Coordinates of all heavy atoms in Angstrom, one line a residue:
M282 N 0.8 -1.2 0.0 CA 0.0 0.0 0.0 C 0.9 1.2 0.0 O 1.8 1.3 0.8 CB -0.9 0.0 1.2 CG -1.6 1.3 1.4 SD -3.0 1.3 2.6 CE -4.2 0.5 1.7
D283 N 0.6 2.2 -0.9 CA 1.3 3.4 -1.0 C 0.8 4.4 0.1 O -0.3 4.7 0.2 CB 1.0 4.1 -2.3 CG 1.8 5.3 -2.6 OD1 2.5 5.8 -1.6 OD2 1.8 5.8 -3.7
L284 N 1.7 4.7 1.1 CA 1.4 5.6 2.2 C 1.5 7.1 1.8 O 1.0 7.9 2.5 CB 2.3 5.4 3.4 CG 2.2 3.9 3.9 CD1 3.2 3.8 5.1 CD2 0.8 3.5 4.3
G285 N 2.1 7.4 0.6 CA 2.3 8.7 0.2 C 3.7 9.1 0.1 O 4.6 8.3 0.3
P286 N 4.0 10.4 -0.3 CA 5.4 10.8 -0.5 C 6.1 10.8 0.9 O 5.6 11.2 1.9 CB 5.2 12.2 -1.0 CG 3.9 12.4 -1.4 CD 3.0 11.4 -0.7
E287 N 7.3 10.3 0.9 CA 8.2 10.3 2.0 C 8.3 11.7 2.7 O 8.2 11.9 3.9 CB 9.6 9.8 1.7 CG 10.5 9.7 2.9 CD 11.9 9.1 2.5 OE1 12.2 9.2 1.3 OE2 12.6 8.7 3.4
S288 N 8.3 12.7 1.8 CA 8.5 14.1 2.3 C 7.2 14.6 3.1 O 7.3 15.6 3.8 CB 8.7 15.0 1.1 OG 7.7 15.0 0.2
S289 N 6.1 13.9 2.9 CA 4.9 14.3 3.6 C 4.9 13.9 5.1 O 4.1 14.3 5.9 CB 3.6 13.8 2.9 OG 3.6 12.4 3.0
F290 N 5.9 13.0 5.5 CA 5.9 12.6 6.9 C 7.1 13.3 7.5 O 8.2 13.0 7.3 CB 6.1 11.0 6.9 CG 5.0 10.3 6.4 CD1 5.0 9.8 5.1 CD2 3.8 10.1 7.2 CE1 3.9 9.1 4.6 CE2 2.8 9.4 6.7 CZ 2.8 8.9 5.4
T291 N 6.7 14.3 8.4 CA 7.8 15.2 8.9 C 8.0 14.9 10.4 O 8.9 15.5 11.0 CB 7.4 16.6 8.7 OG1 6.1 16.9 9.3 CG2 7.4 16.9 7.2
K292 N 7.1 14.1 11.1 CA 7.3 13.8 12.5 C 6.9 12.4 12.7 O 6.1 11.8 12.0 CB 6.5 14.8 13.4 CG 5.1 14.4 13.6 CD 4.4 15.2 14.7 CE 3.1 14.8 15.3 NZ 3.0 13.4 15.6
F293 N 7.6 11.8 13.7 CA 7.4 10.4 14.0 C 7.3 10.3 15.5 O 8.0 11.0 16.3 CB 8.7 9.6 13.5 CG 8.8 9.7 12.0 CD1 9.7 10.6 11.4 CD2 8.1 8.9 11.2 CE1 9.8 10.7 10.1 CE2 8.2 9.0 9.8 CZ 9.1 9.9 9.2
P294 N 6.4 9.4 15.9 CA 5.5 8.6 15.1 C 4.4 9.4 14.4 O 4.0 10.4 14.9 CB 4.9 7.6 16.1 CG 4.9 8.3 17.4 CD 6.1 9.2 17.4
S295 N 4.0 8.9 13.3 CA 2.8 9.4 12.6 C 1.7 8.4 12.6 O 2.0 7.2 12.3 CB 3.2 9.8 11.1 OG 3.9 11.0 11.0
V296 N 0.5 8.8 12.8 CA -0.6 7.9 12.7 C -1.0 7.7 11.2 O -1.2 8.6 10.5 CB -1.8 8.4 13.5 CG1 -3.0 7.5 13.4 CG2 -1.4 8.6 15.0
V297 N -1.2 6.4 10.9 CA -1.6 6.0 9.5 C -2.8 5.1 9.7 O -2.9 4.2 10.5 CB -0.5 5.2 8.8 CG1 -1.0 4.7 7.5 CG2 0.8 6.1 8.6
H298 N -3.9 5.5 8.9 CA -5.1 4.7 8.9 C -5.2 4.0 7.6 O -4.9 4.4 6.6 CB -6.3 5.7 9.0 CG -6.3 6.5 10.3 ND1 -6.7 5.9 11.5 CD2 -6.0 7.7 10.6 CE1 -6.6 6.9 12.5 NE2 -6.1 8.0 11.9
M299 N -5.7 2.7 7.7 CA -6.0 1.9 6.6 C -7.4 1.3 6.9 O -7.5 0.4 7.8 CB -5.0 0.7 6.4 CG -3.7 1.2 6.0 SD -2.6 -0.2 5.7 CE -1.0 0.6 5.8
G300 N -8.4 1.9 6.3 CA -9.8 1.4 6.6 C -10.1 1.7 8.1 O -9.8 2.8 8.6
D301 N -10.5 0.7 8.8 CA -10.8 0.9 10.3 C -9.6 0.7 11.2 O -9.7 0.8 12.4 CB -11.9 -0.1 10.7 CG -13.2 0.2 10.1 OD1 -13.4 1.4 9.7 OD2 -14.1 -0.7 10.0
W302 N -8.4 0.4 10.5 CA -7.2 0.0 11.3 C -6.3 1.2 11.4 O -6.2 2.0 10.5 CB -6.5 -1.2 10.7 CG -7.4 -2.4 10.7 CD1 -8.3 -2.7 9.7 CD2 -7.5 -3.4 11.7 NE1 -9.0 -3.9 10.1 CE2 -8.4 -4.4 11.3 CE3 -6.7 -3.7 12.8 CZ2 -8.7 -5.5 12.0 CZ3 -7.0 -4.8 13.5 CH2 -8.0 -5.7 13.1
S303 N -5.6 1.3 12.5 CA -4.6 2.4 12.7 C -3.3 1.8 13.0 O -3.1 0.8 13.7 CB -5.1 3.3 13.9 OG -6.3 3.8 13.7
F304 N -2.2 2.5 12.6 CA -0.8 2.1 12.8 C 0.0 3.4 13.1 O -0.4 4.5 12.8 CB -0.3 1.5 11.5 CG -1.0 0.4 11.0 CD1 -2.1 0.5 10.2 CD2 -0.7 -0.9 11.3 CE1 -2.9 -0.5 9.7 CE2 -1.4 -2.0 10.8 CZ -2.5 -1.8 10.0
F305 N 1.1 3.2 13.8 CA 2.1 4.2 13.9 C 3.2 4.0 13.0 O 3.8 2.9 12.9 CB 2.7 4.2 15.4 CG 1.7 4.6 16.5 CD1 1.3 3.6 17.4 CD2 1.2 5.8 16.5 CE1 0.4 3.9 18.4 CE2 0.3 6.2 17.5 CZ -0.1 5.2 18.4
L306 N 3.5 5.0 12.1 CA 4.7 5.0 11.3 C 5.8 5.5 12.1 O 5.8 6.6 12.6 CB 4.4 5.8 10.0 CG 5.7 6.0 9.2 CD1 6.0 4.6 8.5 CD2 5.4 7.0 8.0
V307 N 6.8 4.6 12.2 CA 8.0 5.0 13.0 C 9.3 4.8 12.2 O 9.3 4.2 11.2 CB 8.1 4.1 14.3 CG1 6.9 4.3 15.2 CG2 8.3 2.7 14.0
Q308 N 10.3 5.4 12.7 CA 11.7 5.2 12.2 C 12.4 4.3 13.1 O 12.9 4.7 14.2 CB 12.4 6.5 11.9 CG 12.0 7.3 10.7 CD 12.8 8.5 10.6 OE1 12.9 9.3 11.4 NE2 13.3 8.7 9.4
G309 N 12.5 3.0 12.8 CA 13.2 2.0 13.6 C 14.6 2.0 13.3 O 15.1 2.7 12.5
K310 N 15.3 1.0 14.0 CA 16.8 0.9 13.8 C 17.1 0.5 12.4 O 18.1 0.8 11.9 CB 17.3 -0.2 14.7 CG 17.2 0.2 16.2 CD 17.7 -0.9 17.1 CE 17.4 -0.5 18.6 NZ 17.0 -1.6 19.4
E311 N 16.1 -0.2 11.7 CA 16.4 -0.6 10.3 C 15.5 0.1 9.3 O 15.2 -0.5 8.3 CB 16.2 -2.2 10.3 CG 17.2 -2.9 11.2 CD 16.7 -4.3 11.5 OE1 15.6 -4.8 11.0 OE2 17.3 -4.9 12.4
G312 N 15.1 1.3 9.6 CA 14.3 2.1 8.7 C 12.9 2.2 9.1 O 12.5 1.9 10.3
Y313 N 12.0 2.6 8.2 CA 10.6 2.8 8.5 C 9.9 1.5 8.7 O 10.2 0.5 8.2 CB 9.9 3.5 7.3 CG 10.4 4.9 7.0 CD1 11.1 5.1 5.7 CD2 10.2 6.0 7.8 CE1 11.5 6.4 5.4 CE2 10.6 7.2 7.5 CZ 11.3 7.5 6.3 OH 11.7 8.7 6.0
K314 N 8.9 1.6 9.6 CA 8.0 0.4 9.8 C 6.7 0.9 10.4 O 6.6 2.1 10.9 CB 8.6 -0.6 10.7 CG 8.8 -0.2 12.1 CD 9.3 -1.3 13.0 CE 10.6 -1.9 12.6 NZ 11.2 -2.8 13.6
L315 N 5.6 0.1 10.2 CA 4.3 0.4 10.8 C 4.2 -0.5 12.0 O 4.5 -1.7 12.0 CB 3.2 0.1 9.8 CG 3.0 1.0 8.6 CD1 1.7 0.5 7.9 CD2 2.8 2.4 9.0
L316 N 3.7 0.1 13.1 CA 3.5 -0.7 14.3 C 1.9 -0.6 14.5 O 1.3 0.4 14.5 CB 4.1 0.0 15.5 CG 5.6 0.1 15.5 CD1 6.1 0.8 16.8 CD2 6.3 -1.3 15.4
S317 N 1.4 -1.8 14.6 CA -0.1 -1.9 14.8 C -0.4 -1.3 16.2 O 0.2 -1.5 17.2 CB -0.5 -3.4 14.8 OG -1.9 -3.5 15.2
T318 N -1.6 -0.6 16.3 CA -2.0 -0.1 17.5 C -2.8 -1.1 18.3 O -3.3 -0.8 19.4 CB -3.0 1.2 17.3 OG1 -4.1 0.8 16.5 CG2 -2.2 2.3 16.6
V319 N -3.0 -2.3 17.9 CA -3.6 -3.4 18.5 C -2.6 -4.0 19.5 O -1.6 -4.5 19.1 CB -4.2 -4.5 17.6 CG1 -4.8 -5.6 18.4 CG2 -5.2 -3.9 16.6
C320 N -2.9 -3.9 20.8 CA -1.9 -4.4 21.8 C -1.7 -5.8 21.7 O -2.6 -6.6 21.6 CB -2.5 -4.0 23.2 SG -1.4 -4.5 24.6
P321 N -0.4 -6.3 21.8 CA -0.1 -7.7 21.7 C -0.5 -8.5 23.0 O -0.5 -9.7 23.0 CB 1.4 -7.7 21.5 CG 1.9 -6.4 22.1 CD 0.8 -5.4 21.9
H322 N -0.9 -7.8 24.1 CA -1.3 -8.4 25.3 C -2.7 -9.0 25.1 O -2.9 -10.2 25.0 CB -1.3 -7.5 26.5 CG -1.8 -8.2 27.7 ND1 -2.5 -7.5 28.7 CD2 -1.7 -9.4 28.2 CE1 -2.8 -8.2 29.7 NE2 -2.3 -9.5 29.4
A323 N -3.7 -8.2 25.0 CA -5.1 -8.7 24.9 C -6.0 -7.8 24.0 O -7.2 -7.8 24.1 CB -5.7 -8.8 26.3
G324 N -5.3 -7.1 23.1 CA -6.1 -6.5 22.0 C -6.6 -5.0 22.3 O -7.4 -4.5 21.6
G325 N -6.0 -4.5 23.4 CA -6.4 -3.1 23.7 C -5.8 -2.1 22.6 O -5.1 -2.6 21.7
E326 N -6.2 -0.9 22.7 CA -5.7 0.1 21.7 C -4.5 0.9 22.3 O -4.6 1.6 23.3 CB -6.8 1.1 21.3 CG -6.3 2.0 20.2 CD -7.3 3.0 19.8 OE1 -8.5 3.0 20.3 OE2 -7.0 3.9 18.9
V327 N -3.4 0.7 21.7 CA -2.1 1.3 22.1 C -2.2 2.8 21.6 O -2.6 3.1 20.4 CB -0.9 0.6 21.5 CG1 0.4 1.3 21.8 CG2 -0.9 -0.8 22.0
V328 N -1.8 3.7 22.5 CA -1.8 5.1 22.1 C -0.4 5.7 22.3 O 0.4 5.2 23.0 CB -2.8 5.9 23.0 CG1 -4.3 5.4 22.8 CG2 -2.4 5.8 24.5
D329 N -0.3 6.9 21.7 CA 1.0 7.7 21.8 C 1.0 8.4 23.2 O 0.1 9.1 23.5 CB 1.0 8.7 20.7 CG 2.3 9.5 20.7 OD1 3.0 9.5 21.7 OD2 2.6 10.1 19.6
W330 N 2.0 8.0 24.0 CA 2.0 8.5 25.4 C 3.1 9.5 25.6 O 3.6 9.6 26.7 CB 2.1 7.3 26.3 CG 1.8 7.5 27.8 CD1 2.6 7.5 28.8 CD2 0.4 7.8 28.3 NE1 1.8 7.8 30.0 CE2 0.6 8.0 29.7 CE3 -0.8 7.9 27.7 CZ2 -0.5 8.3 30.5 CZ3 -1.9 8.2 28.5 CH2 -1.7 8.3 29.9
G331 N 3.5 10.1 24.5 CA 4.6 11.1 24.6 C 5.9 10.6 24.4 O 6.5 10.7 23.3
T332 N 6.5 10.0 25.4 CA 7.8 9.4 25.3 C 7.8 7.9 25.1 O 8.9 7.2 24.9 CB 8.7 9.7 26.5 OG1 8.0 9.2 27.7 CG2 8.9 11.2 26.7
S333 N 6.6 7.3 25.0 CA 6.5 5.9 24.7 C 5.1 5.7 24.2 O 4.2 6.6 24.2 CB 6.7 5.0 26.0 OG 5.7 5.3 26.9
F334 N 4.8 4.5 23.7 CA 3.4 4.0 23.4 C 2.9 3.4 24.7 O 3.7 2.8 25.4 CB 3.4 3.1 22.2 CG 3.8 3.7 20.9 CD1 4.9 3.1 20.2 CD2 3.2 4.8 20.4 CE1 5.3 3.6 19.0 CE2 3.6 5.3 19.2 CZ 4.7 4.8 18.5
M335 N 1.6 3.4 24.8 CA 1.0 2.8 26.1 C -0.3 2.3 25.8 O -1.1 2.9 25.0 CB 1.0 3.9 27.2 CG 0.8 3.3 28.6 SD -0.9 3.1 29.1 CE -1.4 4.8 29.3
C336 N -0.6 1.1 26.4 CA -2.0 0.6 26.3 C -2.7 0.8 27.6 O -2.3 0.3 28.7 CB -1.9 -0.9 26.0 SG -3.6 -1.7 26.0
P337 N -3.8 1.6 27.6 CA -4.5 1.9 28.9 C -5.2 0.8 29.6 O -5.4 0.8 30.8 CB -5.5 3.0 28.5 CG -5.1 3.4 27.1 CD -4.4 2.3 26.5
D338 N -5.4 -0.3 28.8 CA -6.1 -1.5 29.4 C -5.4 -2.0 30.6 O -6.0 -2.3 31.7 CB -6.4 -2.6 28.4 CG -7.5 -2.1 27.4 OD1 -7.8 -0.9 27.4 OD2 -8.0 -3.0 26.7
H339 N -4.1 -2.3 30.5 CA -3.3 -2.9 31.6 C -2.0 -2.2 31.8 O -1.1 -2.7 32.6 CB -3.1 -4.4 31.4 CG -4.4 -5.1 31.1 ND1 -4.7 -5.5 29.9 CD2 -5.4 -5.5 31.9 CE1 -5.9 -6.1 29.9 NE2 -6.3 -6.1 31.1
G340 N -1.8 -1.1 31.1 CA -0.6 -0.3 31.3 C 0.7 -0.7 30.7 O 1.8 -0.2 31.0
W341 N 0.7 -1.7 29.7 CA 1.9 -2.0 29.1 C 2.4 -0.8 28.3 O 1.6 -0.1 27.6 CB 1.7 -3.2 28.1 CG 1.6 -4.5 28.7 CD1 1.3 -4.8 30.0 CD2 1.8 -5.8 28.1 NE1 1.3 -6.1 30.2 CE2 1.6 -6.8 29.1 CE3 2.1 -6.2 26.8 CZ2 1.7 -8.1 28.8 CZ3 2.2 -7.5 26.5 CH2 2.0 -8.5 27.5
R342 N 3.7 -0.5 28.4 CA 4.3 0.5 27.6 C 5.4 -0.1 26.6 O 5.9 -1.1 26.9 CB 5.0 1.5 28.5 CG 4.0 2.4 29.3 CD 4.7 3.5 30.1 NE 5.3 2.9 31.3 CZ 6.6 2.8 31.4 NH1 7.4 3.3 30.5 NH2 7.2 2.3 32.5
F343 N 5.5 0.7 25.5 CA 6.4 0.2 24.4 C 7.3 1.3 24.0 O 6.8 2.5 23.8 CB 5.6 -0.3 23.2 CG 4.5 -1.3 23.6 CD1 3.3 -0.9 24.0 CD2 4.8 -2.7 23.5 CE1 2.3 -1.8 24.4 CE2 3.8 -3.6 23.9 CZ 2.6 -3.2 24.3
E344 N 8.6 1.0 23.7 CA 9.5 2.1 23.2 C 9.0 2.4 21.8 O 8.4 1.6 21.1 CB 10.9 1.7 23.3 CG 11.3 0.4 22.7 CD 11.5 0.5 21.2 OE1 11.8 1.5 20.7 OE2 11.3 -0.6 20.6
M345 N 9.4 3.6 21.3 CA 8.8 4.2 20.1 C 9.7 3.9 18.8 O 9.3 4.5 17.8 CB 8.6 5.7 20.3 CG 7.6 6.0 21.4 SD 7.3 7.7 21.7 CE 5.7 7.8 20.8
K346 N 10.7 3.1 18.9 CA 11.5 2.8 17.6 C 11.0 1.5 17.0 O 10.8 1.4 15.8 CB 13.0 2.7 18.0 CG 13.6 4.0 18.3 CD 13.8 4.9 17.1 CE 14.5 6.2 17.4 NZ 14.5 7.1 16.3
D347 N 10.9 0.5 17.9 CA 10.5 -0.9 17.4 C 9.4 -1.5 18.1 O 9.0 -2.6 17.8 CB 11.8 -1.8 17.5 CG 12.9 -1.3 16.6 OD1 12.7 -1.3 15.3 OD2 13.9 -0.9 17.0
G348 N 8.7 -0.8 19.0 CA 7.6 -1.3 19.7 C 7.8 -2.4 20.7 O 7.0 -3.2 21.0
V349 N 9.0 -2.4 21.3 CA 9.4 -3.4 22.3 C 8.8 -3.0 23.7 O 8.9 -1.9 24.1 CB 10.9 -3.6 22.4 CG1 11.3 -4.5 23.5 CG2 11.5 -4.0 21.1
C350 N 8.2 -3.9 24.3 CA 7.6 -3.7 25.6 C 8.7 -3.4 26.6 O 9.6 -4.1 26.7 CB 6.8 -4.9 26.1 SG 5.9 -4.6 27.6
V351 N 8.5 -2.3 27.4 CA 9.5 -1.9 28.3 C 9.2 -2.1 29.8 O 10.0 -1.9 30.7 CB 9.9 -0.4 28.1 CG1 10.5 -0.2 26.8 CG2 8.7 0.5 28.3
N352 N 8.0 -2.6 30.1 CA 7.6 -2.7 31.5 C 6.8 -4.0 31.8 O 6.1 -4.1 32.7 CB 6.8 -1.5 32.0 CG 5.4 -1.4 31.4 OD1 5.2 -1.9 30.3 ND2 4.5 -0.8 32.1
G353 N 6.9 -4.9 30.8 CA 6.2 -6.2 31.0 C 7.0 -7.3 30.5 O 8.2 -7.3 30.4
P354 N 6.3 -8.4 30.1 CA 7.0 -9.6 29.6 C 7.6 -9.3 28.2 O 7.4 -8.3 27.7 CB 5.9 -10.6 29.5 CG 4.7 -9.9 29.4 CD 4.9 -8.6 30.1
L355 N 8.4 -10.2 27.8 CA 9.0 -10.1 26.5 C 7.9 -10.1 25.4 O 7.3 -11.1 25.1 CB 10.0 -11.3 26.2 CG 10.9 -11.2 25.0 CD1 11.8 -10.0 25.1 CD2 11.7 -12.5 24.9
A356 N 7.6 -8.9 24.9 CA 6.6 -8.7 23.9 C 6.9 -7.5 23.0 O 7.8 -6.7 23.4 CB 5.3 -8.4 24.7
Q357 N 6.3 -7.5 21.9 CA 6.5 -6.4 20.9 C 5.3 -6.1 20.2 O 4.5 -7.0 19.8 CB 7.7 -6.9 20.0 CG 8.2 -5.8 19.1 CD 9.5 -6.2 18.5 OE1 10.0 -7.3 18.7 NE2 10.1 -5.3 17.7
M358 N 5.1 -4.9 19.8 CA 4.0 -4.5 19.0 C 4.2 -5.1 17.6 O 5.3 -5.3 17.1 CB 3.9 -3.0 18.8 CG 3.5 -2.2 20.1 SD 3.8 -0.4 20.0 CE 2.5 0.1 19.0
T359 N 3.1 -5.6 17.0 CA 3.1 -6.2 15.7 C 3.6 -5.1 14.7 O 3.1 -4.0 14.6 CB 1.8 -6.7 15.2 OG1 1.4 -7.7 16.2 CG2 1.9 -7.4 13.9
S360 N 4.6 -5.5 13.9 CA 5.2 -4.5 13.0 C 5.2 -5.0 11.5 O 5.1 -6.2 11.3 CB 6.7 -4.2 13.3 OG 7.5 -5.3 13.2
F361 N 5.2 -4.1 10.6 CA 5.1 -4.4 9.2 C 6.2 -3.5 8.5 O 6.3 -2.3 8.8 CB 3.7 -4.1 8.6 CG 2.6 -4.8 9.3 CD1 1.9 -4.2 10.4 CD2 2.3 -6.1 9.0 CE1 1.0 -4.9 11.0 CE2 1.3 -6.8 9.7 CZ 0.7 -6.2 10.7
P362 N 6.9 -4.1 7.5 CA 8.0 -3.3 6.8 C 7.4 -2.2 5.9 O 6.3 -2.4 5.4 CB 8.7 -4.4 6.0 CG 7.7 -5.5 5.9 CD 6.8 -5.5 7.0
V363 N 8.2 -1.2 5.8 CA 7.8 0.0 5.0 C 9.1 0.3 4.2 O 10.2 0.4 4.7 CB 7.4 1.2 5.7 CG1 7.2 2.4 4.8 CG2 6.1 0.9 6.5
T364 N 9.0 0.3 2.8 CA 10.1 0.6 2.0 C 9.9 1.9 1.2 O 8.7 2.4 1.1 CB 10.3 -0.6 1.0 OG1 9.1 -0.7 0.2 CG2 10.7 -1.9 1.6
V365 N 11.0 2.5 0.8 CA 10.9 3.7 0.0 C 11.2 3.4 -1.5 O 12.1 2.7 -1.8 CB 12.0 4.7 0.4 CG1 11.9 6.0 -0.3 CG2 11.9 5.0 1.9
Q366 N 10.2 3.7 -2.3 CA 10.3 3.5 -3.7 C 9.9 4.7 -4.5 O 8.8 5.2 -4.3 CB 9.4 2.3 -4.2 CG 9.7 1.0 -3.5 CD 8.7 -0.1 -3.8 OE1 8.1 -0.2 -4.9 NE2 8.5 -0.9 -2.8
D367 N 10.8 5.3 -5.3 CA 10.5 6.5 -6.1 C 10.0 7.6 -5.2 O 9.1 8.3 -5.6 CB 9.5 6.2 -7.2 CG 10.1 5.2 -8.2 OD1 11.4 5.2 -8.4 OD2 9.3 4.4 -8.7
G368 N 10.5 7.7 -4.0 CA 10.2 8.8 -3.1 C 8.9 8.6 -2.3 O 8.4 9.5 -1.6
H369 N 8.2 7.5 -2.5 CA 7.0 7.1 -1.8 C 7.2 6.0 -0.8 O 8.1 5.2 -0.9 CB 5.9 6.7 -2.7 CG 5.1 7.8 -3.4 ND1 3.8 7.9 -3.4 CD2 5.6 8.9 -4.0 CE1 3.4 9.0 -4.0 NE2 4.5 9.6 -4.4
L370 N 6.5 6.0 0.3 CA 6.6 4.9 1.3 C 5.5 3.9 1.0 O 4.3 4.2 0.8 CB 6.3 5.5 2.7 CG 7.3 6.6 3.2 CD1 7.0 6.9 4.7 CD2 8.8 6.1 3.1
F371 N 6.0 2.7 0.9 CA 5.1 1.6 0.7 C 5.1 0.6 1.8 O 6.2 0.1 2.2 CB 5.5 0.8 -0.6 CG 5.1 1.5 -1.9 CD1 6.0 2.5 -2.4 CD2 3.9 1.4 -2.5 CE1 5.7 3.2 -3.5 CE2 3.6 2.1 -3.7 CZ 4.5 3.0 -4.2
A372 N 3.9 0.3 2.4 CA 3.8 -0.6 3.5 C 3.4 -2.0 3.0 O 2.5 -2.1 2.1 CB 2.7 -0.1 4.5
D373 N 4.0 -3.0 3.6 CA 3.7 -4.4 3.3 C 2.9 -5.0 4.4 O 3.4 -5.6 5.3 CB 5.0 -5.2 3.1 CG 4.7 -6.6 2.6 OD1 3.6 -6.9 2.3 OD2 5.7 -7.4 2.5
V374 N 1.5 -4.8 4.3 CA 0.6 -5.3 5.4 C -0.2 -6.4 4.7 O -1.0 -6.1 3.9 CB -0.3 -4.1 5.9 CG1 -1.1 -4.7 7.0 CG2 0.6 -3.0 6.4
P375 N -0.1 -7.6 5.2 CA -0.9 -8.7 4.6 C -2.4 -8.5 4.8 O -2.8 -8.0 5.8 CB -0.4 -10.0 5.4 CG 0.8 -9.6 6.1 CD 0.8 -8.0 6.3
I376 N -3.1 -8.9 3.8 CA -4.6 -8.7 3.9 C -5.2 -9.4 5.1 O -6.2 -8.9 5.6 CB -5.2 -9.2 2.5 CG1 -6.7 -8.8 2.4 CG2 -5.2 -10.7 2.4 CD1 -6.8 -7.3 2.1
E377 N -4.6 -10.5 5.6 CA -5.1 -11.2 6.7 C -5.2 -10.3 8.0 O -6.0 -10.5 8.9 CB -4.3 -12.4 7.1 CG -4.1 -13.4 6.0 CD -3.0 -13.0 5.0 OE1 -1.9 -12.8 5.4 OE2 -3.4 -13.0 3.8
T378 N -4.4 -9.2 8.0 CA -4.4 -8.3 9.1 C -5.7 -7.6 9.3 O -6.1 -7.3 10.4 CB -3.3 -7.2 8.9 OG1 -2.0 -7.8 8.6 CG2 -3.2 -6.3 10.0
F379 N -6.5 -7.5 8.3 CA -7.7 -6.7 8.3 C -8.9 -7.6 8.5 O -10.0 -7.1 8.4 CB -7.8 -5.9 7.1 CG -6.6 -5.0 6.8 CD1 -5.7 -5.3 5.9 CD2 -6.4 -3.9 7.6 CE1 -4.6 -4.5 5.7 CE2 -5.3 -3.0 7.4 CZ -4.4 -3.4 6.5
R380 N -8.8 -8.9 8.8 CA -9.9 -9.8 9.0 C -10.2 -9.9 10.4 O -9.5 -9.8 11.3 CB -9.6 -11.1 8.3 CG -9.5 -11.0 6.8 CD -9.5 -12.3 6.2 NE -9.4 -12.1 4.7 CZ -8.6 -12.8 3.9 NH1 -7.9 -13.8 4.3 NH2 -8.7 -12.5 2.6
Ligands
FES584 S1 -4.6 -5.3 26.4 FE1 -2.9 -3.9 26.3 S2 -1.9 -4.1 28.3 FE2 -3.4 -5.5 28.3

């Protein structure tokens, strides 16, 4: 999916919507990626908490580069690769994600 021109994303994380689904576009250690806002614990909605992402349901927090949980068990937000092609960002999100 074409997310738009790379130059249109000037701050990170940026919220990206695909239909009813939301993601955070971040700049991780290995480049751009999308992090799902669906919490890996029990499906709550992860929000931008300023210096981290946070799920209000049970308080899990995640660092903002790769979505690694910083105050709970070994867990990570679901991520999807984003590549740059001809100045546009393209996300590789499998169709199964939206079912
Ligand atoms: S559902 Fe997110 S912390 Fe439990």
Side-chain angles (χ1 to χ4, degrees):
M282 170 171 282
D283 186 350
L284 302 179
E287 181 180 19
S288 60
S289 68
F290 295 97
T291 56
K292 84 171 193 49
F293 299 94
S295 282
V296 176
V297 171
H298 298 283
M299 292 184 199
D301 293 337
W302 298 85
S303 299
F304 303 85
F305 293 113
L306 175 67
V307 299
Q308 283 184 304
K310 293 177 187 141
E311 296 159 10
Y313 296 114
K314 64 174 66 172
L315 287 182
L316 299 177
S317 171
T318 61
V319 177
C320 181
H322 176 216
E326 183 178 0
V327 177
V328 298
D329 185 340
W330 199 247
T332 56
S333 66
F334 297 121
M335 196 271 285
C336 178
D338 285 16
H339 309 101
W341 284 20
R342 286 185 288 109
F343 307 87
E344 54 80 28
M345 300 181 101
K346 290 285 185 192
D347 295 294
V349 175
C350 185
V351 295
N352 70 335
L355 190 59
Q357 190 166 0
M358 295 166 73
T359 302
S360 68
F361 303 95
V363 174
T364 56
V365 182
Q366 298 171 37
D367 298 325
H369 277 231
L370 299 184
F371 286 86
D373 186 5
V374 181
I376 192 74
E377 303 81 53
T378 304
F379 304 105
R380 294 189 178 139

